[in-house]
Amino acid sequence: MKTSFSKKFSTRLTAAVFCFISFSLSSQVAYAQGFSSLDTDLLLLEGLIQDTIANTEEQQRLLDGLRQSLNESEELLASYESIIIEQEILLSNLRTQLNEMSETFRMQSALSARYERRLKRWRSFTLIGIPAATLISGFIGWALPW
């Protein structure tokens, strides 16, 4: 009986040692696979972080470019605004000059009409007066004896 017990014990011990070795090896393989998976995940995470940093830097460069463009646009708008103000001043001056010229033209038109009426009177007087004066002078010269 002892032999049978020791055989059973030895078989059981061998099975237990085999199970222990198998379990130890399988857990190391599982850990190795877990670490390999963790390593892969960490590499992927590192890549994502680097891509995010690169995208952030690119977005920052684009944002700086937009700020610069906005500043340039603001300067152009200020320049255009000053040009428009200058043009408004010039237009106002031109309007004033045009009003003055219009007033001068009205005055010249009034004077021209008055001079035209006077000219018409002088012309009528001259056309009638010179022949009448000649006739009167000739009649007086003929009527008066010398």
Side-chain angles (χ1 to χ4, degrees):
M1 253 202 165
K2 261 185 171 193
T3 341
S4 146
F5 176 72
S6 94
K7 235 183 183 180
K8 282 184 184 182
F9 180 73
S10 157
T11 308
R12 285 184 183 167
L13 183 64
T14 306
V17 169
F18 179 74
C19 283
F20 178 75
I21 292 175
S22 294
F23 178 73
S24 295
L25 289 177
S26 68
S27 65
Q28 286 181 359
V29 169
Y31 285 135
Q33 287 177 351
F35 285 132
S36 174
S37 174
L38 269 174
D39 190 41
T40 304
D41 289 344
L42 286 175
L43 287 175
L44 287 173
L45 184 60
E46 184 180 355
L48 286 173
I49 290 171
Q50 288 175 351
D51 288 345
T52 303
I53 290 171
N55 286 339
T56 303
E57 289 172 352
E58 180 64 25
Q59 288 176 353
Q60 187 63 40
R61 273 186 260 132
L62 291 173
L63 186 60
D64 290 341
L66 286 173
R67 280 189 191 126
Q68 184 178 0
S69 295
L70 185 61
N71 289 337
E72 290 172 359
S73 296
E74 187 177 330
E75 291 171 3
L76 283 174
L77 284 174
S79 172
Y80 289 152
E81 186 176 347
S82 68
I83 289 171
I84 288 171
I85 289 171
E86 289 174 8
Q87 288 179 348
E88 286 176 349
I89 291 170
L90 289 174
L91 283 173
S92 176
N93 291 341
L94 185 61
R95 184 176 294 126
T96 303
Q97 289 176 356
L98 185 60
N99 288 338
E100 290 172 357
M101 289 173 64
S102 178
E103 184 63 32
T104 304
F105 179 74
R106 271 188 236 119
M107 287 174 33
Q108 286 179 346
S109 290
L111 288 174
S112 177
R114 193 169 49 182
Y115 288 127
E116 191 174 318
R117 285 191 303 269
R118 284 184 182 172
L119 179 64
K120 200 176 198 183
R121 266 188 274 146
W122 277 106
R123 190 180 299 149
S124 298
F125 177 75
T126 306
L127 288 175
I128 295 171
I130 291 180
T134 307
L135 282 174
I136 292 173
S137 161
F139 181 70
I140 291 176
W142 179 73
L144 287 177
W146 293 72

